[in-house]
Amino acid sequence: MTAAIEPRLVWPVAATLGEGPAWIGRENALWFVDIKGGRVHRYDPATDERQSFEVGGMPSFLVPAEGGRLLVGSIDGLYLLEDGKLTGPVAKIDMPAHNRTNDATVDPSGRLWVGTMDNEEEALTGAIHVFDAVDLRPVGGDCVITNGPAISADGGTIYHVDTLGRTIYRCDISSGTSLAKGEVFVTIAEKDGHPDGVTLDSEGCLWVGLWGGWQVRRYAPDGTLLAIVAMPCANCTKVAFGGPDLRTGYVTTARKGLSEAELNGQPLAGGLFAFDAPAPGVALPEMRLPA
């Protein structure tokens, strides 16, 4: 039986394209981005403090980096966030001019795995790249819009998403970084929207936001649907787990692509939501930076 989980609004931030939530444990705060709004947001649940930083560009993800730093991907580069501004770049991604960064994660060894996509959402030019603080290179997962990736706690398995293809793939990366040998983990039915960002919890279950699907879903390692978070808005982008016990699920959402009539029917679109998770998440490792 599929469990139903109730969400609650924590910040009506009205993001155009809310994405990339990341719990930064050393701050006990959740950071996330508004890609099309050119903003980075910080939420402190203990105090309810909310901060927004106008950074420009198209910030698409944020991850913790060594030395107490934060790294942000935007357009074709990786930048440090310092005093509310992007500095750098730390590295540039070699890709077509119409591409941009999208989602990303960090594996247990401190490598960054970042997806790219066609900003016009038409050309087959997106891919997953790996940055090990020395080299930044594509490793597969070619599609128009990449999403995820998410990596298992042991670093041996990666899940990545072909959003327009409505497919989540699982690959064994225990012996390298190539995504060539993968398998279909889950395919999302057309009526249920498109799979967006993915996250793994401590039980190895995968959470996915459904763009146009009004839901967040939790899947068992064998692909069985275990739980649904029914959302009050259509475009659900990604889940991150936070709080002192990592038992609070945070969900970013988006207003992008919704008509005035649709926005009138879902006024909370673009907000940040939370729910009580059935299992804790996994802390996001710190990314290694170049020496």
Side-chain angles (χ1 to χ4, degrees):
M1 182 176 179
T2 303
I5 300 172
E6 292 294 323
R8 57 188 180 274
L9 178 71
V10 297
W11 186 355
V13 68
T16 301
L17 184 49
E19 256 289 8
W23 179 258
I24 307 301
R26 62 189 181 228
E27 300 181 21
N28 291 316
L30 183 87
W31 288 80
F32 61 104
V33 300
D34 181 350
I35 300 176
K36 295 299 185 178
R39 298 181 182 91
V40 173
H41 301 291
R42 181 182 187 273
Y43 175 65
D44 183 337
T47 64
D48 202 38
E49 180 182 15
R50 307 166 186 186
Q51 296 174 284
S52 298
F53 305 95
E54 302 272 355
V55 298
M58 287 186 280
S60 65
F61 70 86
L62 183 148
V63 296
E66 61 186 3
R69 295 183 164 189
L70 297 173
L71 183 121
V72 176
S74 182
I75 308 178
D76 65 346
L78 309 177
Y79 301 85
L80 295 174
L81 181 67
E82 299 180 319
D83 298 322
K85 298 180 180 179
L86 300 186
T87 64
V90 172
K92 286 277 195 172
I93 302 174
D94 184 14
M95 59 184 181
H98 53 83
N99 271 26
R100 65 166 175 84
T101 61
N102 201 29
D103 203 0
T105 194
V106 182
D107 70 18
S109 67
R111 295 177 299 188
L112 180 77
W113 296 70
V114 53
T116 60
M117 60 171 282
D118 174 24
N119 194 45
E120 300 300 320
E121 303 180 8
E122 296 177 352
L124 188 65
T125 52
I128 304 295
H129 298 68
V130 172
F131 182 48
D132 61 5
V134 178
D135 295 318
L136 178 54
R137 60 192 182 279
V139 292
D142 297 357
C143 57
V144 178
I145 302 174
T146 63
N147 255 299
I151 296 177
S152 61
D154 65 3
T157 303
I158 187 171
Y159 295 80
H160 67 95
V161 182
D162 177 350
T163 292
L164 294 189
R166 295 191 173 89
T167 302
I168 303 172
Y169 294 95
R170 176 168 55 194
C171 301
D172 181 355
I173 53 170
S174 57
S175 59
T177 57
S178 173
L179 306 187
K181 295 182 180 179
E183 61 181 358
V184 173
F185 174 65
V186 166
T187 299
I188 303 299
E190 184 174 357
K191 65 180 178 61
D192 295 330
H194 292 82
D196 205 304
V198 291
T199 308
L200 293 166
D201 64 24
S202 60
E203 295 182 350
C205 295
L206 182 134
W207 294 78
V208 58
L210 296 182
W211 183 276
W214 299 81
Q215 288 182 1
V216 168
R217 291 182 175 181
R218 183 188 190 218
Y219 287 94
D222 65 359
T224 301
L225 179 60
L226 297 178
I228 290 173
V229 185
M231 298 290 292
C233 47
N235 297 332
C236 309
T237 54
K238 191 174 181 179
V239 174
F241 295 97
D245 54 3
L246 297 179
R247 291 293 292 257
T248 301
Y250 289 98
V251 185
T252 47
T253 65
R255 299 169 66 85
K256 177 181 178 289
L258 299 177
S259 67
E260 183 176 351
E262 288 171 326
L263 287 171
N264 287 337
Q266 43 184 300
L268 300 182
L272 175 68
F273 297 83
F275 62 88
D276 297 326
V282 179
L284 191 60
E286 289 188 342
M287 175 191 160
R288 285 188 285 121
L289 293 172

